[in-house]
Amino acid sequence: MPVGIAQVGLVCFGTLADSTSRHGQAHAFTVTPVLNLVLSLPATVFVPSLREAAAARTAAPGA
């Protein structure tokens, strides 16, 4: 998780670059949440299946 946070910060400040204008800041702070949303959507697909697999492993006898 810390790596993901660092990467999102890197994208935010990389998009911001040396821009001191309001437009540049607005663009950076728009790109970052969109990136968070795009990256978190696949996680919502995989997390339930990972939980089911973990539950199946703990419920299996002798595992």
Side-chain angles (χ1 to χ4, degrees):
M1 188 156 117
V3 173
I5 293 170
Q7 289 175 340
V8 170
L10 180 68
V11 168
C12 179
F13 288 111
T15 304
L16 187 59
D18 292 330
S19 177
T20 56
S21 69
R22 287 185 181 224
H23 175 70
Q25 292 174 352
H27 178 68
F29 291 121
T30 302
V31 168
T32 304
V34 169
L35 175 70
N36 279 330
L37 180 64
V38 167
L39 293 177
S40 62
L41 285 176
T44 61
V45 172
F46 292 115
V47 167
S49 61
L50 291 174
R51 285 185 182 167
E52 291 172 4
R57 268 194 311 245
T58 59

